[in-house]
Amino acid sequence: DNLYQALGGSPGIARVVDQLIVEIQQDARISPQFKETNMKRLAELLKEQLCVVSDGPCQYSGDDMLTVHAQLGIKSAAFNALVEDLQAAMHKNQIPFPTQNRLLARLAVMKKDIVVSAP
Ligand code: HEM
């Protein structure tokens, strides 16, 4: 069974991403970083990306993670905060822990492209 199906397919991923946007906006640790961001566009791109990452039948139309985040100065703590927000969003949508962890493992490999390299 593939991860896309385990997440509930397109509607399941859409619910998780919509809740993730809410969690981010309520998270004072990282919400300031999204002040200038078009959250509607971000939500659409995240839905595409999580579909692709979970082996769903989608195409991702955004830019690569390195290009997008390079100038944002994102620290490791901010990355971890967003991961917690995603866990909360999945939990609120009754995604089982093993399925949550499969998705998080696939996102963890992106961390090196998203956070600034700290000495
Ligand atoms: C696994 C973690 C992450 C994933 C999968 C991810 C994914 C994405 C995607 C798909 C986009 C849209 C790309 C585009 O505009 O073409 C984006 C944009 C953005 N991300 Fe991330 N991101 C992650 C972590 C973070 C973190 C930790 C922060 C800051 C706390 C962050 C801040 C932003 C901002 C501010 C934008 C919008 C940039 C703009 O307005 O042009 N991201 N991200």
Side-chain angles (χ1 to χ4, degrees):
D1 202 17
N2 78 17
L3 181 53
Y4 175 74
Q5 298 299 341
L7 290 166
S10 176
I13 289 172
R15 283 192 293 270
V16 167
V17 169
D18 288 341
Q19 186 60 38
L20 173 60
I21 297 293
V22 171
E23 301 289 337
I24 288 172
Q25 287 173 323
Q26 293 176 350
D27 186 345
R29 297 173 296 178
I30 58 173
S31 58
Q33 299 227 49
F34 292 87
K35 228 164 38 192
E36 309 290 324
T37 300
N38 178 342
M39 296 306 268
K40 196 161 180 255
R41 177 174 177 277
L42 178 61
E44 289 316 308
L45 289 170
L46 277 172
K47 287 169 194 174
E48 290 179 4
Q49 194 198 37
L50 294 192
C51 177
V52 171
V53 164
S54 64
D55 301 323
C58 306
Q59 286 200 328
Y60 172 63
S61 64
D63 287 317
D64 66 272
M65 291 297 95
L66 191 56
T67 305
V68 170
H69 300 94
Q71 306 303 319
L72 299 177
I74 298 167
K75 300 208 172 79
S76 186
F79 185 91
N80 295 338
L82 188 141
V83 167
E84 286 178 23
D85 292 342
L86 176 57
Q87 287 176 307
M90 290 192 286
H91 182 72
K92 288 177 182 178
N93 283 285
Q94 291 87 39
I95 306 286
F97 278 119
T99 304
Q100 294 187 24
N101 289 336
R102 286 168 72 194
L103 179 61
L104 294 174
R106 295 184 188 194
L107 297 179
V109 301
M110 299 176 181
K111 184 170 182 177
K112 65 177 186 341
D113 291 334
I114 291 171
V115 304
V116 291
S117 45

PDB file of all heavy atoms in Angstrom, residues 11-34:
ATOM      1  N   PRO A  11      -7.829  14.116  -1.282  1.00  0.00           N
ATOM      2  CA  PRO A  11      -8.586  14.826  -0.244  1.00  0.00           C
ATOM      3  C   PRO A  11      -7.917  14.755   1.131  1.00  0.00           C
ATOM      4  O   PRO A  11      -7.980  15.728   1.899  1.00  0.00           O
ATOM      5  CB  PRO A  11      -9.948  14.132  -0.234  1.00  0.00           C
ATOM      6  CG  PRO A  11      -9.795  12.870  -0.990  1.00  0.00           C
ATOM      7  CD  PRO A  11      -8.626  13.048  -1.919  1.00  0.00           C
ATOM      8  N   GLY A  12      -7.282  13.627   1.429  1.00  0.00           N
ATOM      9  CA  GLY A  12      -6.589  13.497   2.714  1.00  0.00           C
ATOM     10  C   GLY A  12      -5.430  14.471   2.823  1.00  0.00           C
ATOM     11  O   GLY A  12      -5.251  15.145   3.848  1.00  0.00           O
ATOM     12  N   ILE A  13      -4.640  14.555   1.767  1.00  0.00           N
ATOM     13  CA  ILE A  13      -3.505  15.474   1.751  1.00  0.00           C
ATOM     14  C   ILE A  13      -3.996  16.922   1.808  1.00  0.00           C
ATOM     15  O   ILE A  13      -3.412  17.757   2.514  1.00  0.00           O
ATOM     16  CB  ILE A  13      -2.617  15.210   0.512  1.00  0.00           C
ATOM     17  CG1 ILE A  13      -1.870  13.872   0.692  1.00  0.00           C
ATOM     18  CG2 ILE A  13      -1.630  16.356   0.281  1.00  0.00           C
ATOM     19  CD1 ILE A  13      -1.123  13.404  -0.535  1.00  0.00           C
ATOM     20  N   ALA A  14      -5.071  17.214   1.114  1.00  0.00           N
ATOM     21  CA  ALA A  14      -5.617  18.584   1.127  1.00  0.00           C
ATOM     22  C   ALA A  14      -6.027  18.991   2.539  1.00  0.00           C
ATOM     23  O   ALA A  14      -5.746  20.109   2.985  1.00  0.00           O
ATOM     24  CB  ALA A  14      -6.807  18.679   0.172  1.00  0.00           C
ATOM     25  N   ARG A  15      -6.663  18.068   3.287  1.00  0.00           N
ATOM     26  CA  ARG A  15      -7.071  18.386   4.660  1.00  0.00           C
ATOM     27  C   ARG A  15      -5.864  18.621   5.561  1.00  0.00           C
ATOM     28  O   ARG A  15      -5.863  19.543   6.388  1.00  0.00           O
ATOM     29  CB  ARG A  15      -7.937  17.245   5.236  1.00  0.00           C
ATOM     30  CG  ARG A  15      -9.367  17.236   4.716  1.00  0.00           C
ATOM     31  CD  ARG A  15     -10.241  16.274   5.527  1.00  0.00           C
ATOM     32  NE  ARG A  15      -9.848  14.874   5.342  1.00  0.00           N
ATOM     33  CZ  ARG A  15     -10.336  14.073   4.393  1.00  0.00           C
ATOM     34  NH1 ARG A  15     -11.261  14.528   3.547  1.00  0.00           N
ATOM     35  NH2 ARG A  15      -9.934  12.818   4.291  1.00  0.00           N
ATOM     36  N   VAL A  16      -4.837  17.786   5.392  1.00  0.00           N
ATOM     37  CA  VAL A  16      -3.631  17.935   6.216  1.00  0.00           C
ATOM     38  C   VAL A  16      -2.952  19.275   5.923  1.00  0.00           C
ATOM     39  O   VAL A  16      -2.558  19.997   6.849  1.00  0.00           O
ATOM     40  CB  VAL A  16      -2.657  16.757   5.994  1.00  0.00           C
ATOM     41  CG1 VAL A  16      -1.290  17.055   6.597  1.00  0.00           C
ATOM     42  CG2 VAL A  16      -3.233  15.470   6.592  1.00  0.00           C
ATOM     43  N   VAL A  17      -2.827  19.612   4.658  1.00  0.00           N
ATOM     44  CA  VAL A  17      -2.138  20.865   4.303  1.00  0.00           C
ATOM     45  C   VAL A  17      -2.947  22.074   4.775  1.00  0.00           C
ATOM     46  O   VAL A  17      -2.372  23.031   5.313  1.00  0.00           O
ATOM     47  CB  VAL A  17      -1.859  20.944   2.787  1.00  0.00           C
ATOM     48  CG1 VAL A  17      -1.393  22.344   2.388  1.00  0.00           C
ATOM     49  CG2 VAL A  17      -0.815  19.899   2.393  1.00  0.00           C
ATOM     50  N   ASP A  18      -4.262  22.030   4.602  1.00  0.00           N
ATOM     51  CA  ASP A  18      -5.078  23.163   5.062  1.00  0.00           C
ATOM     52  C   ASP A  18      -4.926  23.354   6.574  1.00  0.00           C
ATOM     53  O   ASP A  18      -4.847  24.487   7.063  1.00  0.00           O
ATOM     54  CB  ASP A  18      -6.549  22.958   4.685  1.00  0.00           C
ATOM     55  CG  ASP A  18      -6.788  23.127   3.194  1.00  0.00           C
ATOM     56  OD1 ASP A  18      -5.931  23.735   2.511  1.00  0.00           O
ATOM     57  OD2 ASP A  18      -7.833  22.649   2.703  1.00  0.00           O
ATOM     58  N   GLN A  19      -4.866  22.241   7.324  1.00  0.00           N
ATOM     59  CA  GLN A  19      -4.655  22.350   8.776  1.00  0.00           C
ATOM     60  C   GLN A  19      -3.238  22.807   9.089  1.00  0.00           C
ATOM     61  O   GLN A  19      -3.031  23.592  10.026  1.00  0.00           O
ATOM     62  CB  GLN A  19      -4.959  21.008   9.455  1.00  0.00           C
ATOM     63  CG  GLN A  19      -4.915  21.061  10.979  1.00  0.00           C
ATOM     64  CD  GLN A  19      -5.923  22.040  11.562  1.00  0.00           C
ATOM     65  OE1 GLN A  19      -7.050  22.165  11.069  1.00  0.00           O
ATOM     66  NE2 GLN A  19      -5.530  22.759  12.608  1.00  0.00           N
ATOM     67  N   LEU A  20      -2.255  22.346   8.300  1.00  0.00           N
ATOM     68  CA  LEU A  20      -0.871  22.790   8.508  1.00  0.00           C
ATOM     69  C   LEU A  20      -0.761  24.311   8.371  1.00  0.00           C
ATOM     70  O   LEU A  20      -0.073  24.958   9.172  1.00  0.00           O
ATOM     71  CB  LEU A  20       0.070  22.097   7.508  1.00  0.00           C
ATOM     72  CG  LEU A  20       1.520  22.593   7.493  1.00  0.00           C
ATOM     73  CD1 LEU A  20       2.197  22.409   8.855  1.00  0.00           C
ATOM     74  CD2 LEU A  20       2.314  21.878   6.399  1.00  0.00           C
ATOM     75  N   ILE A  21      -1.446  24.878   7.405  1.00  0.00           N
ATOM     76  CA  ILE A  21      -1.425  26.338   7.220  1.00  0.00           C
ATOM     77  C   ILE A  21      -1.967  27.037   8.477  1.00  0.00           C
ATOM     78  O   ILE A  21      -1.393  28.026   8.952  1.00  0.00           O
ATOM     79  CB  ILE A  21      -2.241  26.743   5.970  1.00  0.00           C
ATOM     80  CG1 ILE A  21      -1.624  26.156   4.694  1.00  0.00           C
ATOM     81  CG2 ILE A  21      -2.383  28.256   5.873  1.00  0.00           C
ATOM     82  CD1 ILE A  21      -0.275  26.697   4.310  1.00  0.00           C
ATOM     83  N   VAL A  22      -3.057  26.493   9.033  1.00  0.00           N
ATOM     84  CA  VAL A  22      -3.614  27.040  10.274  1.00  0.00           C
ATOM     85  C   VAL A  22      -2.602  26.940  11.414  1.00  0.00           C
ATOM     86  O   VAL A  22      -2.380  27.907  12.158  1.00  0.00           O
ATOM     87  CB  VAL A  22      -4.926  26.311  10.655  1.00  0.00           C
ATOM     88  CG1 VAL A  22      -5.398  26.720  12.042  1.00  0.00           C
ATOM     89  CG2 VAL A  22      -6.008  26.584   9.620  1.00  0.00           C
ATOM     90  N   GLU A  23      -1.981  25.754  11.546  1.00  0.00           N
ATOM     91  CA  GLU A  23      -0.994  25.548  12.619  1.00  0.00           C
ATOM     92  C   GLU A  23       0.168  26.527  12.492  1.00  0.00           C
ATOM     93  O   GLU A  23       0.631  27.099  13.491  1.00  0.00           O
ATOM     94  CB  GLU A  23      -0.464  24.101  12.589  1.00  0.00           C
ATOM     95  CG  GLU A  23      -1.517  23.015  12.750  1.00  0.00           C
ATOM     96  CD  GLU A  23      -2.108  22.929  14.154  1.00  0.00           C
ATOM     97  OE1 GLU A  23      -1.458  23.372  15.120  1.00  0.00           O
ATOM     98  OE2 GLU A  23      -3.243  22.436  14.261  1.00  0.00           O
ATOM     99  N   ILE A  24       0.651  26.734  11.263  1.00  0.00           N
ATOM    100  CA  ILE A  24       1.774  27.654  11.034  1.00  0.00           C
ATOM    101  C   ILE A  24       1.377  29.068  11.453  1.00  0.00           C
ATOM    102  O   ILE A  24       2.131  29.765  12.136  1.00  0.00           O
ATOM    103  CB  ILE A  24       2.211  27.629   9.554  1.00  0.00           C
ATOM    104  CG1 ILE A  24       2.924  26.313   9.211  1.00  0.00           C
ATOM    105  CG2 ILE A  24       3.126  28.821   9.236  1.00  0.00           C
ATOM    106  CD1 ILE A  24       3.220  26.134   7.728  1.00  0.00           C
ATOM    107  N   GLN A  25       0.179  29.477  11.047  1.00  0.00           N
ATOM    108  CA  GLN A  25      -0.242  30.842  11.332  1.00  0.00           C
ATOM    109  C   GLN A  25      -0.474  31.068  12.823  1.00  0.00           C
ATOM    110  O   GLN A  25      -0.409  32.195  13.297  1.00  0.00           O
ATOM    111  CB  GLN A  25      -1.498  31.180  10.515  1.00  0.00           C
ATOM    112  CG  GLN A  25      -1.140  31.380   9.035  1.00  0.00           C
ATOM    113  CD  GLN A  25      -2.344  31.558   8.140  1.00  0.00           C
ATOM    114  OE1 GLN A  25      -3.387  30.932   8.342  1.00  0.00           O
ATOM    115  NE2 GLN A  25      -2.209  32.401   7.123  1.00  0.00           N
ATOM    116  N   GLN A  26      -0.707  29.977  13.580  1.00  0.00           N
ATOM    117  CA  GLN A  26      -0.902  30.091  15.029  1.00  0.00           C
ATOM    118  C   GLN A  26       0.377  29.817  15.810  1.00  0.00           C
ATOM    119  O   GLN A  26       0.366  29.831  17.045  1.00  0.00           O
ATOM    120  CB  GLN A  26      -1.994  29.102  15.484  1.00  0.00           C
ATOM    121  CG  GLN A  26      -3.370  29.463  14.933  1.00  0.00           C
ATOM    122  CD  GLN A  26      -4.425  28.437  15.297  1.00  0.00           C
ATOM    123  OE1 GLN A  26      -4.118  27.369  15.806  1.00  0.00           O
ATOM    124  NE2 GLN A  26      -5.680  28.762  15.029  1.00  0.00           N
ATOM    125  N   ASP A  27       1.464  29.557  15.103  1.00  0.00           N
ATOM    126  CA  ASP A  27       2.728  29.184  15.745  1.00  0.00           C
ATOM    127  C   ASP A  27       3.661  30.391  15.770  1.00  0.00           C
ATOM    128  O   ASP A  27       4.312  30.712  14.769  1.00  0.00           O
ATOM    129  CB  ASP A  27       3.357  28.010  14.984  1.00  0.00           C
ATOM    130  CG  ASP A  27       4.596  27.466  15.673  1.00  0.00           C
ATOM    131  OD1 ASP A  27       5.144  28.144  16.563  1.00  0.00           O
ATOM    132  OD2 ASP A  27       5.018  26.351  15.310  1.00  0.00           O
ATOM    133  N   ALA A  28       3.736  31.033  16.922  1.00  0.00           N
ATOM    134  CA  ALA A  28       4.525  32.271  17.036  1.00  0.00           C
ATOM    135  C   ALA A  28       6.010  32.045  16.771  1.00  0.00           C
ATOM    136  O   ALA A  28       6.738  32.987  16.483  1.00  0.00           O
ATOM    137  CB  ALA A  28       4.335  32.876  18.423  1.00  0.00           C
ATOM    138  N   ARG A  29       6.455  30.784  16.861  1.00  0.00           N
ATOM    139  CA  ARG A  29       7.870  30.493  16.588  1.00  0.00           C
ATOM    140  C   ARG A  29       8.215  30.732  15.123  1.00  0.00           C
ATOM    141  O   ARG A  29       9.340  31.108  14.794  1.00  0.00           O
ATOM    142  CB  ARG A  29       8.204  29.031  16.951  1.00  0.00           C
ATOM    143  CG  ARG A  29       8.031  28.707  18.432  1.00  0.00           C
ATOM    144  CD  ARG A  29       8.194  27.232  18.691  1.00  0.00           C
ATOM    145  NE  ARG A  29       7.150  26.432  18.015  1.00  0.00           N
ATOM    146  CZ  ARG A  29       7.089  25.113  18.043  1.00  0.00           C
ATOM    147  NH1 ARG A  29       8.019  24.414  18.693  1.00  0.00           N
ATOM    148  NH2 ARG A  29       6.107  24.465  17.428  1.00  0.00           N
ATOM    149  N   ILE A  30       7.269  30.485  14.227  1.00  0.00           N
ATOM    150  CA  ILE A  30       7.588  30.593  12.796  1.00  0.00           C
ATOM    151  C   ILE A  30       6.636  31.474  11.990  1.00  0.00           C
ATOM    152  O   ILE A  30       6.972  31.859  10.870  1.00  0.00           O
ATOM    153  CB  ILE A  30       7.690  29.192  12.122  1.00  0.00           C
ATOM    154  CG1 ILE A  30       6.394  28.405  12.288  1.00  0.00           C
ATOM    155  CG2 ILE A  30       8.889  28.430  12.667  1.00  0.00           C
ATOM    156  CD1 ILE A  30       6.390  27.099  11.492  1.00  0.00           C
ATOM    157  N   SER A  31       5.484  31.824  12.547  1.00  0.00           N
ATOM    158  CA  SER A  31       4.522  32.607  11.756  1.00  0.00           C
ATOM    159  C   SER A  31       5.121  33.909  11.199  1.00  0.00           C
ATOM    160  O   SER A  31       4.769  34.303  10.069  1.00  0.00           O
ATOM    161  CB  SER A  31       3.244  32.887  12.551  1.00  0.00           C
ATOM    162  OG  SER A  31       3.536  33.570  13.746  1.00  0.00           O
ATOM    163  N   PRO A  32       6.040  34.592  11.925  1.00  0.00           N
ATOM    164  CA  PRO A  32       6.607  35.821  11.349  1.00  0.00           C
ATOM    165  C   PRO A  32       7.343  35.588  10.022  1.00  0.00           C
ATOM    166  O   PRO A  32       7.379  36.478   9.171  1.00  0.00           O
ATOM    167  CB  PRO A  32       7.583  36.305  12.429  1.00  0.00           C
ATOM    168  CG  PRO A  32       7.080  35.716  13.703  1.00  0.00           C
ATOM    169  CD  PRO A  32       6.523  34.378  13.304  1.00  0.00           C
ATOM    170  N   GLN A  33       7.889  34.381   9.859  1.00  0.00           N
ATOM    171  CA  GLN A  33       8.636  34.081   8.622  1.00  0.00           C
ATOM    172  C   GLN A  33       7.709  34.014   7.405  1.00  0.00           C
ATOM    173  O   GLN A  33       8.173  34.036   6.269  1.00  0.00           O
ATOM    174  CB  GLN A  33       9.376  32.748   8.758  1.00  0.00           C
ATOM    175  CG  GLN A  33      10.397  32.747   9.876  1.00  0.00           C
ATOM    176  CD  GLN A  33      11.737  32.181   9.428  1.00  0.00           C
ATOM    177  OE1 GLN A  33      12.276  32.555   8.397  1.00  0.00           O
ATOM    178  NE2 GLN A  33      12.278  31.283  10.229  1.00  0.00           N
ATOM    179  N   PHE A  34       6.402  33.879   7.652  1.00  0.00           N
ATOM    180  CA  PHE A  34       5.444  33.737   6.549  1.00  0.00           C
ATOM    181  C   PHE A  34       4.614  35.001   6.328  1.00  0.00           C
ATOM    182  O   PHE A  34       3.617  34.976   5.629  1.00  0.00           O
ATOM    183  CB  PHE A  34       4.519  32.541   6.825  1.00  0.00           C
ATOM    184  CG  PHE A  34       5.219  31.209   6.763  1.00  0.00           C
ATOM    185  CD1 PHE A  34       5.843  30.681   7.888  1.00  0.00           C
ATOM    186  CD2 PHE A  34       5.282  30.500   5.580  1.00  0.00           C
ATOM    187  CE1 PHE A  34       6.512  29.460   7.841  1.00  0.00           C
ATOM    188  CE2 PHE A  34       5.945  29.274   5.506  1.00  0.00           C
ATOM    189  CZ  PHE A  34       6.560  28.756   6.641  1.00  0.00           C
TER     190      PHE A  34
END
